[in-house]
């Protein structure tokens, strides 16, 4: 399973992250459940993550936590 690089705008600046399709698909599903855009969800996760962690890892952990809590 290969991670694919994706680009997004967060607070007006472009950034990128690498995620495997399965994580990105689940992230999109979570955004849909919360009735927000994928960009808004990624921004939320980015704002809440520890500064010493990278965005890609934080996105994976968010999806994992959602799955553990029965959201997926």
């Amino acid at each position: 399973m290969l991670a694919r690089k994706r680009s997004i705008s967060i607070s007006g600046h472009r950034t990128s992250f690498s995620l495997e399709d399965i994580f990105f698909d689940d992230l999109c599903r979570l955004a849909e459940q919360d009735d927000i855009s994928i960009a808004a969800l990624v921004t939320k996760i980015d704002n809440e993550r520890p500064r010493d962690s990278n965005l890609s890892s934080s996105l994976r952990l968010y999806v994992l936590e959602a799955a553990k809590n029965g959201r997926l």
Side-chain angles (χ1 to χ4, degrees):
M1 195 180 318
L2 293 175
R4 190 183 322 186
K5 191 170 189 169
R6 302 164 196 277
S7 296
I8 200 163
S9 286
I10 296 178
S11 302
H13 70 277
R14 298 287 288 170
T15 191
S16 62
F17 56 88
S18 297
L19 278 184
E20 297 77 9
D21 287 341
I22 193 166
F23 282 103
F24 187 73
D25 293 346
D26 284 346
L27 200 62
C28 290
R29 189 175 324 151
L30 291 166
E32 187 176 308
Q33 285 177 13
D34 293 344
D35 198 29
I36 60 174
S37 69
I38 187 68
L41 181 56
V42 171
T43 298
K44 174 184 180 283
I45 295 166
D46 183 52
N47 289 336
E48 294 174 357
R49 72 182 167 99
R51 290 299 109 194
D52 62 346
S53 68
N54 71 47
L55 180 57
S56 299
S57 294
S58 295
L59 296 171
R60 286 184 192 92
L61 290 173
Y62 184 87
V63 169
L64 176 62
E65 189 65 28
K68 288 169 71 175
N69 289 328
R71 291 189 61 207
L72 292 171

